[in-house]
Structures are given as structure tokens and as C-alpha cells.
Amino acid sequence: YAVSLMKWSALVSVLGVADLTYRAQLLSTQTFRPIEIFTSIGVAYFFMSMIFSHIVRTLERRWRMKY
């Protein structure tokens, strides 16, 4: 549930994705390498989501054991 909130939160998606995309666009116009830049941003977002998902899963297991 927490991972879904992170991914679908309007504030995170509007600010985070828009800011990342804008900065990637600026960098790609300077370096003329848009594929590498946008791919690295996608991979970074994927790993952030996976790490956050793992942390939440671990916390949910601990809380489930206690209650």
C-alpha cells in the first residue's frame, strides 16, 4: 500500500517526475545523449521504488509479527 502511495501520489509524481524530466532534458540538450540520460533516470527511479518496496515489506513483516 505504501509503495502504491509513493508511485501514485499526485505531489510526488508532479514534482518528482517533472523535475527529473526537466533536468534530464536540460542535460540531454547540453550533451546530445538523451537515451543514456533518460534511461539512467528510469533505472534510478526503478531502484528507488525497489528499495522503498523492500523497506516497507520488511516493516510490514515486523509489525505483523508483533500484533
Side-chain angles (χ1 to χ4, degrees):
Y1 181 72
V3 174
S4 295
L5 281 175
M6 182 193 79
K7 288 181 182 177
W8 297 108
S9 170
L11 183 60
V12 171
S13 66
V14 169
L15 294 177
V17 173
D19 188 45
L20 282 176
T21 306
Y22 175 72
R23 296 207 183 261
Q25 188 175 14
L26 287 177
L27 189 58
S28 68
T29 56
Q30 292 172 355
T31 60
F32 301 107
R33 301 188 82 137
I35 293 175
E36 292 90 345
I37 292 169
F38 283 104
T39 301
S40 63
I41 287 181
V43 169
Y45 184 75
F46 174 76
F47 281 119
M48 275 187 352
S49 298
M50 292 303 294
I51 291 169
F52 186 70
S53 173
H54 179 68
I55 291 170
V56 169
R57 190 177 318 125
T58 304
L59 289 174
E60 285 177 348
R61 283 187 198 143
R62 287 183 185 173
W63 290 336
R64 193 176 327 141
M65 286 186 214
K66 289 182 181 180
Y67 302 108

Short mmCIF file of all heavy atoms in Angstrom, two decimals:
data_model
loop_
_atom_site.label_atom_id
_atom_site.label_comp_id
_atom_site.label_asym_id
_atom_site.label_seq_id
_atom_site.Cartn_x
_atom_site.Cartn_y
_atom_site.Cartn_z
N TYR A 1 0.83 -1.19 0.00
CA TYR A 1 0.00 0.00 0.00
C TYR A 1 0.87 1.25 0.00
O TYR A 1 0.61 2.20 -0.72
CB TYR A 1 -0.93 -0.05 1.21
CG TYR A 1 -1.84 1.14 1.30
CD1 TYR A 1 -2.90 1.27 0.42
CD2 TYR A 1 -1.65 2.11 2.24
CE1 TYR A 1 -3.74 2.36 0.48
CE2 TYR A 1 -2.47 3.20 2.34
CZ TYR A 1 -3.53 3.32 1.45
OH TYR A 1 -4.35 4.39 1.51
N ALA A 2 1.91 1.26 0.81
CA ALA A 2 2.78 2.43 0.89
C ALA A 2 3.52 2.67 -0.42
O ALA A 2 3.72 3.81 -0.84
CB ALA A 2 3.77 2.28 2.04
N VAL A 3 3.91 1.59 -1.09
CA VAL A 3 4.60 1.73 -2.37
C VAL A 3 3.65 2.33 -3.41
O VAL A 3 4.02 3.20 -4.19
CB VAL A 3 5.16 0.39 -2.84
CG1 VAL A 3 5.73 0.49 -4.23
CG2 VAL A 3 6.22 -0.10 -1.88
N SER A 4 2.41 1.88 -3.40
CA SER A 4 1.42 2.44 -4.32
C SER A 4 1.21 3.91 -4.05
O SER A 4 1.07 4.71 -4.98
CB SER A 4 0.11 1.70 -4.19
OG SER A 4 0.25 0.38 -4.61
N LEU A 5 1.18 4.28 -2.79
CA LEU A 5 1.04 5.70 -2.46
C LEU A 5 2.20 6.51 -2.99
O LEU A 5 2.02 7.61 -3.50
CB LEU A 5 0.93 5.89 -0.94
CG LEU A 5 -0.42 5.60 -0.33
CD1 LEU A 5 -0.33 5.72 1.19
CD2 LEU A 5 -1.46 6.54 -0.86
N MET A 6 3.41 5.96 -2.86
CA MET A 6 4.57 6.68 -3.36
C MET A 6 4.50 6.85 -4.88
O MET A 6 4.76 7.92 -5.40
CB MET A 6 5.86 5.95 -3.00
CG MET A 6 7.10 6.69 -3.46
SD MET A 6 8.60 5.74 -3.40
CE MET A 6 8.47 4.75 -4.86
N LYS A 7 4.13 5.78 -5.56
CA LYS A 7 4.12 5.83 -7.03
C LYS A 7 3.00 6.71 -7.56
O LYS A 7 3.16 7.40 -8.56
CB LYS A 7 3.97 4.43 -7.60
CG LYS A 7 5.20 3.60 -7.44
CD LYS A 7 4.98 2.24 -8.04
CE LYS A 7 6.18 1.35 -7.85
NZ LYS A 7 5.93 0.02 -8.36
N TRP A 8 1.85 6.67 -6.93
CA TRP A 8 0.68 7.34 -7.48
C TRP A 8 0.35 8.67 -6.81
O TRP A 8 -0.61 9.33 -7.16
CB TRP A 8 -0.53 6.42 -7.43
CG TRP A 8 -0.31 5.23 -8.29
CD1 TRP A 8 -0.09 3.96 -7.88
CD2 TRP A 8 -0.26 5.18 -9.72
NE1 TRP A 8 0.09 3.13 -8.95
CE2 TRP A 8 -0.02 3.85 -10.10
CE3 TRP A 8 -0.41 6.14 -10.72
CZ2 TRP A 8 0.09 3.46 -11.42
CZ3 TRP A 8 -0.30 5.74 -12.04
CH2 TRP A 8 -0.06 4.42 -12.38
N SER A 9 1.13 9.05 -5.85
CA SER A 9 0.89 10.32 -5.18
C SER A 9 0.98 11.47 -6.18
O SER A 9 1.94 11.59 -6.93
CB SER A 9 1.91 10.51 -4.06
OG SER A 9 1.82 11.81 -3.56
N ALA A 10 0.00 12.29 -6.18
CA ALA A 10 -0.02 13.40 -7.14
C ALA A 10 1.14 14.35 -6.90
O ALA A 10 1.78 14.81 -7.85
CB ALA A 10 -1.34 14.15 -7.03
N LEU A 11 1.44 14.61 -5.66
CA LEU A 11 2.52 15.54 -5.35
C LEU A 11 3.87 14.98 -5.79
O LEU A 11 4.66 15.68 -6.43
CB LEU A 11 2.55 15.84 -3.85
CG LEU A 11 3.57 16.85 -3.37
CD1 LEU A 11 3.33 18.20 -4.04
CD2 LEU A 11 3.50 16.98 -1.87
N VAL A 12 4.12 13.72 -5.50
CA VAL A 12 5.39 13.11 -5.87
C VAL A 12 5.51 13.02 -7.38
O VAL A 12 6.55 13.34 -7.95
CB VAL A 12 5.54 11.71 -5.22
CG1 VAL A 12 6.73 10.97 -5.77
CG2 VAL A 12 5.65 11.85 -3.72
N SER A 13 4.45 12.59 -8.04
CA SER A 13 4.56 12.43 -9.49
C SER A 13 4.68 13.76 -10.20
O SER A 13 5.43 13.87 -11.16
CB SER A 13 3.36 11.64 -10.02
OG SER A 13 2.17 12.37 -9.86
N VAL A 14 3.97 14.77 -9.73
CA VAL A 14 4.04 16.07 -10.40
C VAL A 14 5.39 16.72 -10.15
O VAL A 14 6.05 17.17 -11.07
CB VAL A 14 2.89 16.99 -9.93
CG1 VAL A 14 3.12 18.41 -10.40
CG2 VAL A 14 1.58 16.48 -10.46
N LEU A 15 5.81 16.77 -8.89
CA LEU A 15 7.07 17.44 -8.58
C LEU A 15 8.28 16.59 -8.95
O LEU A 15 9.20 17.06 -9.59
CB LEU A 15 7.12 17.79 -7.09
CG LEU A 15 6.11 18.82 -6.62
CD1 LEU A 15 6.24 19.02 -5.13
CD2 LEU A 15 6.29 20.13 -7.35
N GLY A 16 8.27 15.34 -8.54
CA GLY A 16 9.43 14.49 -8.76
C GLY A 16 9.69 14.18 -10.21
O GLY A 16 10.80 14.39 -10.72
N VAL A 17 8.69 13.68 -10.89
CA VAL A 17 8.87 13.30 -12.29
C VAL A 17 9.08 14.52 -13.17
O VAL A 17 9.94 14.51 -14.05
CB VAL A 17 7.67 12.45 -12.78
CG1 VAL A 17 7.77 12.18 -14.27
CG2 VAL A 17 7.60 11.16 -12.00
N ALA A 18 8.34 15.58 -12.91
CA ALA A 18 8.50 16.78 -13.72
C ALA A 18 9.90 17.38 -13.54
O ALA A 18 10.53 17.79 -14.51
CB ALA A 18 7.44 17.81 -13.36
N ASP A 19 10.38 17.41 -12.30
CA ASP A 19 11.71 17.97 -12.05
C ASP A 19 12.80 17.09 -12.65
O ASP A 19 13.73 17.59 -13.27
CB ASP A 19 11.93 18.12 -10.55
CG ASP A 19 13.21 18.87 -10.24
OD1 ASP A 19 13.46 19.90 -10.89
OD2 ASP A 19 13.95 18.41 -9.36
N LEU A 20 12.68 15.78 -12.48
CA LEU A 20 13.66 14.88 -13.07
C LEU A 20 13.66 14.97 -14.59
O LEU A 20 14.71 15.00 -15.22
CB LEU A 20 13.37 13.43 -12.65
CG LEU A 20 13.81 13.03 -11.25
CD1 LEU A 20 13.36 11.62 -10.96
CD2 LEU A 20 15.30 13.14 -11.12
N THR A 21 12.49 15.02 -15.17
CA THR A 21 12.39 15.10 -16.63
C THR A 21 12.95 16.41 -17.14
O THR A 21 13.65 16.44 -18.16
CB THR A 21 10.93 14.94 -17.07
OG1 THR A 21 10.41 13.74 -16.52
CG2 THR A 21 10.80 14.89 -18.57
N TYR A 22 12.66 17.49 -16.45
CA TYR A 22 13.17 18.80 -16.86
C TYR A 22 14.70 18.83 -16.81
O TYR A 22 15.36 19.27 -17.74
CB TYR A 22 12.57 19.89 -15.98
CG TYR A 22 13.13 21.26 -16.27
CD1 TYR A 22 12.80 21.94 -17.44
CD2 TYR A 22 14.01 21.88 -15.38
CE1 TYR A 22 13.32 23.19 -17.72
CE2 TYR A 22 14.53 23.12 -15.65
CZ TYR A 22 14.19 23.79 -16.82
OH TYR A 22 14.71 25.01 -17.09
N ARG A 23 15.24 18.33 -15.71
CA ARG A 23 16.70 18.33 -15.57
C ARG A 23 17.35 17.39 -16.59
O ARG A 23 18.42 17.69 -17.12
CB ARG A 23 17.10 17.96 -14.17
CG ARG A 23 16.63 18.98 -13.16
CD ARG A 23 17.50 19.01 -11.95
NE ARG A 23 16.98 19.95 -10.99
CZ ARG A 23 17.45 21.17 -10.84
NH1 ARG A 23 18.43 21.59 -11.61
NH2 ARG A 23 16.94 21.97 -9.94
N ALA A 24 16.69 16.28 -16.87
CA ALA A 24 17.22 15.36 -17.88
C ALA A 24 17.19 16.00 -19.25
O ALA A 24 18.11 15.83 -20.05
CB ALA A 24 16.42 14.07 -17.88
N GLN A 25 16.14 16.75 -19.52
CA GLN A 25 16.05 17.42 -20.81
C GLN A 25 17.14 18.47 -20.95
O GLN A 25 17.76 18.60 -22.01
CB GLN A 25 14.67 18.06 -20.96
CG GLN A 25 14.41 18.62 -22.33
CD GLN A 25 12.99 19.12 -22.47
OE1 GLN A 25 12.29 19.28 -21.47
NE2 GLN A 25 12.58 19.38 -23.67
N LEU A 26 17.38 19.23 -19.89
CA LEU A 26 18.46 20.23 -19.93
C LEU A 26 19.81 19.56 -20.16
O LEU A 26 20.61 20.01 -20.99
CB LEU A 26 18.51 21.02 -18.61
CG LEU A 26 17.41 22.03 -18.37
CD1 LEU A 26 17.58 22.65 -16.98
CD2 LEU A 26 17.44 23.11 -19.43
N LEU A 27 20.06 18.49 -19.45
CA LEU A 27 21.33 17.79 -19.58
C LEU A 27 21.48 17.16 -20.97
O LEU A 27 22.56 17.18 -21.56
CB LEU A 27 21.46 16.73 -18.50
CG LEU A 27 22.81 16.05 -18.36
CD1 LEU A 27 23.90 17.07 -18.08
CD2 LEU A 27 22.74 15.02 -17.26
N SER A 28 20.38 16.61 -21.49
CA SER A 28 20.47 15.97 -22.80
C SER A 28 20.68 16.99 -23.93
O SER A 28 21.31 16.67 -24.93
CB SER A 28 19.23 15.12 -23.08
OG SER A 28 18.10 15.93 -23.24
N THR A 29 20.19 18.21 -23.75
CA THR A 29 20.45 19.22 -24.78
C THR A 29 21.89 19.71 -24.73
O THR A 29 22.43 20.16 -25.74
CB THR A 29 19.50 20.43 -24.64
OG1 THR A 29 19.61 20.98 -23.34
CG2 THR A 29 18.06 20.03 -24.92
N GLN A 30 22.50 19.61 -23.56
CA GLN A 30 23.90 20.03 -23.44
C GLN A 30 24.86 18.94 -23.94
O GLN A 30 25.90 19.25 -24.52
CB GLN A 30 24.24 20.37 -21.99
CG GLN A 30 23.54 21.59 -21.48
CD GLN A 30 23.74 21.79 -19.99
OE1 GLN A 30 24.33 20.94 -19.32
NE2 GLN A 30 23.25 22.90 -19.47
N THR A 31 24.51 17.68 -23.70
CA THR A 31 25.42 16.59 -24.02
C THR A 31 25.04 15.84 -25.30
O THR A 31 25.83 15.03 -25.78
CB THR A 31 25.47 15.58 -22.87
OG1 THR A 31 24.16 15.05 -22.67
CG2 THR A 31 25.97 16.22 -21.60
N PHE A 32 23.84 16.06 -25.81
CA PHE A 32 23.34 15.38 -27.01
C PHE A 32 23.29 13.86 -26.81
O PHE A 32 23.58 13.09 -27.71
CB PHE A 32 24.17 15.73 -28.25
CG PHE A 32 24.19 17.19 -28.55
CD1 PHE A 32 25.33 17.95 -28.32
CD2 PHE A 32 23.06 17.83 -29.04
CE1 PHE A 32 25.35 19.30 -28.59
CE2 PHE A 32 23.07 19.19 -29.31
CZ PHE A 32 24.21 19.92 -29.09
N ARG A 33 22.95 13.43 -25.59
CA ARG A 33 22.84 12.00 -25.27
C ARG A 33 21.53 11.73 -24.52
O ARG A 33 21.56 11.32 -23.35
CB ARG A 33 24.03 11.57 -24.45
CG ARG A 33 25.35 11.82 -25.17
CD ARG A 33 26.43 11.22 -24.41
NE ARG A 33 26.44 9.80 -24.79
CZ ARG A 33 27.54 9.13 -25.04
NH1 ARG A 33 28.70 9.72 -24.93
NH2 ARG A 33 27.49 7.87 -25.38
N PRO A 34 20.39 11.92 -25.15
CA PRO A 34 19.12 11.78 -24.42
C PRO A 34 18.81 10.34 -24.01
O PRO A 34 18.23 10.13 -22.94
CB PRO A 34 18.08 12.31 -25.40
CG PRO A 34 18.71 12.14 -26.74
CD PRO A 34 20.18 12.34 -26.52
N ILE A 35 19.17 9.37 -24.81
CA ILE A 35 18.82 7.99 -24.49
C ILE A 35 19.52 7.55 -23.20
O ILE A 35 18.89 6.96 -22.31
CB ILE A 35 19.16 7.05 -25.66
CG1 ILE A 35 18.25 7.38 -26.84
CG2 ILE A 35 19.02 5.59 -25.26
CD1 ILE A 35 18.56 6.63 -28.09
N GLU A 36 20.79 7.84 -23.08
CA GLU A 36 21.53 7.45 -21.88
C GLU A 36 21.00 8.17 -20.64
O GLU A 36 20.87 7.57 -19.57
CB GLU A 36 23.02 7.74 -22.04
CG GLU A 36 23.71 6.88 -23.06
CD GLU A 36 23.69 7.48 -24.45
OE1 GLU A 36 22.92 8.43 -24.70
OE2 GLU A 36 24.46 7.01 -25.30
N ILE A 37 20.69 9.43 -20.78
CA ILE A 37 20.24 10.22 -19.64
C ILE A 37 18.86 9.77 -19.17
O ILE A 37 18.64 9.52 -17.98
CB ILE A 37 20.26 11.71 -19.99
CG1 ILE A 37 21.71 12.17 -20.17
CG2 ILE A 37 19.57 12.54 -18.91
CD1 ILE A 37 21.87 13.53 -20.76
N PHE A 38 17.91 9.63 -20.10
CA PHE A 38 16.57 9.22 -19.70
C PHE A 38 16.53 7.77 -19.24
O PHE A 38 15.76 7.42 -18.36
CB PHE A 38 15.57 9.47 -20.84
CG PHE A 38 15.19 10.91 -20.98
CD1 PHE A 38 15.71 11.68 -22.00
CD2 PHE A 38 14.33 11.50 -20.08
CE1 PHE A 38 15.37 13.01 -22.13
CE2 PHE A 38 13.98 12.83 -20.19
CZ PHE A 38 14.50 13.59 -21.22
N THR A 39 17.39 6.94 -19.78
CA THR A 39 17.48 5.56 -19.31
C THR A 39 18.02 5.52 -17.89
O THR A 39 17.50 4.78 -17.04
CB THR A 39 18.38 4.72 -20.24
OG1 THR A 39 17.83 4.76 -21.56
CG2 THR A 39 18.48 3.29 -19.76
N SER A 40 19.04 6.30 -17.61
CA SER A 40 19.59 6.31 -16.25
C SER A 40 18.58 6.84 -15.24
O SER A 40 18.51 6.35 -14.11
CB SER A 40 20.89 7.11 -16.20
OG SER A 40 20.65 8.46 -16.51
N ILE A 41 17.77 7.81 -15.63
CA ILE A 41 16.74 8.32 -14.72
C ILE A 41 15.67 7.25 -14.48
O ILE A 41 15.22 7.06 -13.35
CB ILE A 41 16.13 9.61 -15.27
CG1 ILE A 41 17.14 10.73 -15.09
CG2 ILE A 41 14.83 9.95 -14.58
CD1 ILE A 41 16.68 12.06 -15.56
N GLY A 42 15.30 6.53 -15.52
CA GLY A 42 14.34 5.45 -15.35
C GLY A 42 14.87 4.35 -14.45
O GLY A 42 14.15 3.83 -13.59
N VAL A 43 16.13 4.00 -14.62
CA VAL A 43 16.75 2.97 -13.78
C VAL A 43 16.84 3.45 -12.33
O VAL A 43 16.57 2.69 -11.40
CB VAL A 43 18.14 2.58 -14.34
CG1 VAL A 43 18.92 1.73 -13.36
CG2 VAL A 43 17.98 1.86 -15.66
N ALA A 44 17.20 4.70 -12.14
CA ALA A 44 17.29 5.25 -10.78
C ALA A 44 15.92 5.23 -10.10
O ALA A 44 15.81 4.85 -8.93
CB ALA A 44 17.84 6.67 -10.82
N TYR A 45 14.87 5.61 -10.82
CA TYR A 45 13.52 5.58 -10.25
C TYR A 45 13.10 4.15 -9.94
O TYR A 45 12.49 3.88 -8.91
CB TYR A 45 12.53 6.24 -11.20
CG TYR A 45 11.14 6.33 -10.62
CD1 TYR A 45 10.86 7.28 -9.65
CD2 TYR A 45 10.13 5.48 -11.04
CE1 TYR A 45 9.59 7.36 -9.11
CE2 TYR A 45 8.87 5.56 -10.50
CZ TYR A 45 8.60 6.51 -9.53
OH TYR A 45 7.36 6.58 -8.99
N PHE A 46 13.46 3.22 -10.81
CA PHE A 46 13.15 1.81 -10.58
C PHE A 46 13.82 1.31 -9.30
O PHE A 46 13.18 0.67 -8.46
CB PHE A 46 13.59 0.97 -11.78
CG PHE A 46 13.45 -0.51 -11.56
CD1 PHE A 46 12.21 -1.11 -11.61
CD2 PHE A 46 14.57 -1.29 -11.30
CE1 PHE A 46 12.07 -2.46 -11.39
CE2 PHE A 46 14.45 -2.64 -11.09
CZ PHE A 46 13.19 -3.24 -11.13
N PHE A 47 15.11 1.61 -9.14
CA PHE A 47 15.81 1.16 -7.95
C PHE A 47 15.29 1.85 -6.69
O PHE A 47 15.22 1.23 -5.63
CB PHE A 47 17.32 1.35 -8.09
CG PHE A 47 17.96 0.27 -8.91
CD1 PHE A 47 18.63 0.58 -10.08
CD2 PHE A 47 17.88 -1.06 -8.52
CE1 PHE A 47 19.21 -0.42 -10.84
CE2 PHE A 47 18.46 -2.06 -9.27
CZ PHE A 47 19.13 -1.74 -10.43
N MET A 48 14.93 3.12 -6.79
CA MET A 48 14.32 3.79 -5.64
C MET A 48 13.03 3.08 -5.23
O MET A 48 12.78 2.86 -4.05
CB MET A 48 14.01 5.25 -5.96
CG MET A 48 15.15 6.17 -5.75
SD MET A 48 14.77 7.95 -5.94
CE MET A 48 13.14 8.03 -6.58
N SER A 49 12.22 2.73 -6.21
CA SER A 49 10.97 2.03 -5.92
C SER A 49 11.22 0.66 -5.32
O SER A 49 10.52 0.24 -4.38
CB SER A 49 10.13 1.88 -7.19
OG SER A 49 9.79 3.14 -7.70
N MET A 50 12.21 -0.05 -5.84
CA MET A 50 12.51 -1.39 -5.31
C MET A 50 13.04 -1.31 -3.88
O MET A 50 12.65 -2.12 -3.03
CB MET A 50 13.52 -2.09 -6.22
CG MET A 50 12.98 -2.44 -7.58
SD MET A 50 11.51 -3.48 -7.51
CE MET A 50 12.19 -4.96 -6.82
N ILE A 51 13.91 -0.37 -3.60
CA ILE A 51 14.44 -0.22 -2.25
C ILE A 51 13.33 0.15 -1.28
O ILE A 51 13.21 -0.41 -0.19
CB ILE A 51 15.59 0.81 -2.23
CG1 ILE A 51 16.80 0.25 -2.95
CG2 ILE A 51 15.95 1.22 -0.80
CD1 ILE A 51 17.88 1.27 -3.21
N PHE A 52 12.51 1.10 -1.68
CA PHE A 52 11.39 1.52 -0.82
C PHE A 52 10.43 0.36 -0.61
O PHE A 52 9.94 0.15 0.50
CB PHE A 52 10.67 2.72 -1.45
CG PHE A 52 9.61 3.30 -0.58
CD1 PHE A 52 9.94 4.00 0.56
CD2 PHE A 52 8.27 3.15 -0.90
CE1 PHE A 52 8.96 4.54 1.37
CE2 PHE A 52 7.28 3.68 -0.10
CZ PHE A 52 7.64 4.39 1.04
N SER A 53 10.17 -0.41 -1.64
CA SER A 53 9.29 -1.58 -1.53
C SER A 53 9.87 -2.60 -0.55
O SER A 53 9.14 -3.17 0.27
CB SER A 53 9.11 -2.21 -2.90
OG SER A 53 8.41 -3.41 -2.80
N HIS A 54 11.17 -2.83 -0.62
CA HIS A 54 11.81 -3.79 0.29
C HIS A 54 11.72 -3.30 1.74
O HIS A 54 11.45 -4.09 2.65
CB HIS A 54 13.26 -4.00 -0.11
CG HIS A 54 13.99 -4.94 0.77
ND1 HIS A 54 13.71 -6.29 0.82
CD2 HIS A 54 14.99 -4.74 1.66
CE1 HIS A 54 14.49 -6.87 1.70
NE2 HIS A 54 15.29 -5.94 2.22
N ILE A 55 11.96 -2.03 1.96
CA ILE A 55 11.89 -1.47 3.31
C ILE A 55 10.47 -1.61 3.87
O ILE A 55 10.28 -2.03 5.01
CB ILE A 55 12.35 0.00 3.32
CG1 ILE A 55 13.85 0.08 3.06
CG2 ILE A 55 12.01 0.68 4.64
CD1 ILE A 55 14.36 1.47 2.80
N VAL A 56 9.49 -1.27 3.07
CA VAL A 56 8.10 -1.36 3.52
C VAL A 56 7.71 -2.81 3.79
O VAL A 56 7.05 -3.11 4.79
CB VAL A 56 7.16 -0.70 2.50
CG1 VAL A 56 5.71 -1.01 2.80
CG2 VAL A 56 7.38 0.80 2.47
N ARG A 57 8.12 -3.73 2.94
CA ARG A 57 7.82 -5.15 3.13
C ARG A 57 8.43 -5.65 4.44
O ARG A 57 7.78 -6.37 5.20
CB ARG A 57 8.34 -5.96 1.96
CG ARG A 57 7.86 -7.39 1.97
CD ARG A 57 8.33 -8.16 0.74
NE ARG A 57 8.24 -7.39 -0.50
CZ ARG A 57 9.25 -7.18 -1.32
NH1 ARG A 57 10.45 -7.70 -1.06
NH2 ARG A 57 9.10 -6.50 -2.42
N THR A 58 9.66 -5.24 4.73
CA THR A 58 10.32 -5.65 5.97
C THR A 58 9.58 -5.08 7.19
O THR A 58 9.35 -5.80 8.17
CB THR A 58 11.78 -5.17 5.98
OG1 THR A 58 12.44 -5.69 4.83
CG2 THR A 58 12.50 -5.62 7.23
N LEU A 59 9.20 -3.83 7.12
CA LEU A 59 8.45 -3.22 8.23
C LEU A 59 7.10 -3.89 8.44
O LEU A 59 6.69 -4.12 9.57
CB LEU A 59 8.27 -1.72 7.98
CG LEU A 59 9.53 -0.87 8.10
CD1 LEU A 59 9.21 0.56 7.68
CD2 LEU A 59 10.06 -0.91 9.52
N GLU A 60 6.42 -4.22 7.35
CA GLU A 60 5.13 -4.88 7.47
C GLU A 60 5.27 -6.25 8.11
O GLU A 60 4.43 -6.65 8.91
CB GLU A 60 4.46 -5.00 6.10
CG GLU A 60 3.90 -3.70 5.59
CD GLU A 60 3.30 -3.83 4.21
OE1 GLU A 60 3.51 -4.88 3.54
OE2 GLU A 60 2.62 -2.89 3.79
N ARG A 61 6.32 -7.00 7.78
CA ARG A 61 6.54 -8.30 8.41
C ARG A 61 6.79 -8.16 9.91
O ARG A 61 6.27 -8.94 10.70
CB ARG A 61 7.72 -9.00 7.76
CG ARG A 61 7.40 -9.61 6.43
CD ARG A 61 8.59 -10.42 5.93
NE ARG A 61 8.45 -10.65 4.52
CZ ARG A 61 9.45 -10.66 3.66
NH1 ARG A 61 10.67 -10.45 4.06
NH2 ARG A 61 9.23 -10.87 2.38
N ARG A 62 7.59 -7.19 10.27
CA ARG A 62 7.89 -6.98 11.70
C ARG A 62 6.63 -6.60 12.46
O ARG A 62 6.38 -7.06 13.56
CB ARG A 62 8.95 -5.91 11.88
CG ARG A 62 10.30 -6.38 11.49
CD ARG A 62 11.34 -5.33 11.75
NE ARG A 62 12.64 -5.75 11.26
CZ ARG A 62 13.70 -5.00 11.23
NH1 ARG A 62 13.64 -3.75 11.67
NH2 ARG A 62 14.84 -5.47 10.76
N TRP A 63 5.82 -5.71 11.88
CA TRP A 63 4.60 -5.28 12.55
C TRP A 63 3.58 -6.42 12.62
O TRP A 63 2.85 -6.53 13.59
CB TRP A 63 4.00 -4.08 11.85
CG TRP A 63 4.81 -2.83 12.03
CD1 TRP A 63 5.69 -2.55 13.03
CD2 TRP A 63 4.81 -1.70 11.18
NE1 TRP A 63 6.23 -1.32 12.85
CE2 TRP A 63 5.71 -0.77 11.74
CE3 TRP A 63 4.14 -1.37 10.02
CZ2 TRP A 63 5.95 0.47 11.15
CZ3 TRP A 63 4.37 -0.14 9.43
CH2 TRP A 63 5.28 0.77 10.00
N ARG A 64 3.55 -7.25 11.61
CA ARG A 64 2.62 -8.37 11.61
C ARG A 64 2.97 -9.37 12.71
O ARG A 64 2.09 -9.95 13.33
CB ARG A 64 2.64 -9.06 10.24
CG ARG A 64 1.48 -10.01 10.06
CD ARG A 64 1.44 -10.63 8.68
NE ARG A 64 1.93 -9.77 7.62
CZ ARG A 64 2.66 -10.20 6.60
NH1 ARG A 64 2.99 -11.46 6.50
NH2 ARG A 64 3.08 -9.37 5.67
N MET A 65 4.25 -9.57 12.95
CA MET A 65 4.69 -10.50 14.00
C MET A 65 4.34 -9.98 15.39
O MET A 65 4.01 -10.73 16.29
CB MET A 65 6.19 -10.74 13.91
CG MET A 65 6.61 -11.62 12.79
SD MET A 65 8.37 -11.93 12.97
CE MET A 65 8.85 -12.01 11.28
N LYS A 66 4.42 -8.67 15.58
CA LYS A 66 4.15 -8.09 16.89
C LYS A 66 2.66 -8.08 17.23
O LYS A 66 2.28 -8.18 18.37
CB LYS A 66 4.68 -6.66 16.96
CG LYS A 66 6.19 -6.59 17.00
CD LYS A 66 6.66 -5.17 17.12
CE LYS A 66 8.16 -5.10 17.14
NZ LYS A 66 8.64 -3.72 17.24
N TYR A 67 1.83 -7.92 16.23
CA TYR A 67 0.40 -7.77 16.51
C TYR A 67 -0.33 -8.95 16.03
O TYR A 67 -0.86 -9.53 15.50
CB TYR A 67 -0.13 -6.49 15.87
CG TYR A 67 0.59 -5.27 16.36
CD1 TYR A 67 1.47 -4.58 15.54
CD2 TYR A 67 0.40 -4.80 17.65
CE1 TYR A 67 2.15 -3.46 15.99
CE2 TYR A 67 1.07 -3.68 18.11
CZ TYR A 67 1.93 -3.01 17.28
OH TYR A 67 2.59 -1.90 17.72
#
